[in-house]
Amino acid sequence: MDKKALIRAAFAAQKFAYAPYSNFKVGAALLAINGSVYTGCNIESAAFSPTNCAGRTALFKAVSEGVHTFEAIAIVGGKADGTEDGKVTAPCGVCRQMLYEFAGDDFIVLMAKSETDFVEKTLGELFPLGFGPDKVLK
């Protein structure tokens, strides 16, 4: 996995974010096991609840094209004016749940401020005792 390239793809996706209410733009790049990269950005709504996160946008794009297995995701975020708060952007709880549905504990999450300044965690570290398909009664 080329971590820098995945982070660059997330920054490229961030430019398309629609965030007029929070003024916080997020980009994501999701690496599938087959090597394909699916990007996404956050898309806000004046009604707030229909808002979609960057991670889920990337995931939904991939799944809608028949891809269901993933290796890693890079997530970047920041204020719309480009100023930095010195923190990395982590996936929200809903995104963690959706990623867990398809990726599980060992999935890599890169939370980046730049190509060289990032935090790397597994989804299991960010979402301990995750609830996935293996937990559903059949």
Side-chain angles (χ1 to χ4, degrees), residues 31-60:
L31 176 62
I33 295 293
N34 69 11
S36 298
V37 174
Y38 297 87
T39 59
C41 60
N42 58 320
I43 304 165
E44 295 181 348
S45 167
F48 293 112
S49 63
T51 294
N52 201 48
C53 299
R56 278 182 289 145
T57 299
L59 178 65
F60 294 165

Side-chain angles (χ1 to χ4, degrees), residues 1-7 9-10 27-40 54-56 58-59 62 67-76 91 95 98-100 102-111 118-124 126:
M1 168 182 39
D2 184 344
K3 294 175 186 176
K4 288 182 179 181
L6 198 60
I7 292 168
L30 177 64
L31 176 62
I33 295 293
N34 69 11
S36 298
V37 174
Y38 297 87
T39 59
R56 278 182 289 145
L59 178 65
V67 178
H68 294 178
T69 54
F70 306 99
E71 181 179 342
I73 192 167
I75 300 183
V76 301
C95 287
M98 287 304 302
L99 290 167
Y100 198 84
F102 294 93
D105 288 323
D106 297 329
F107 179 73
I108 300 297
V109 180
L110 304 172
M111 299 160 284
F118 60 89
V119 174
E120 180 176 338
K121 298 282 185 184
T122 65
L123 188 55
L126 293 176

Side-chain angles (χ1 to χ4, degrees), residues 8-25:
R8 277 194 305 274
F11 275 113
Q14 181 186 26
K15 294 176 184 171
F16 297 111
Y18 177 73
Y21 308 106
S22 71
N23 290 312
F24 193 83
K25 294 186 172 194

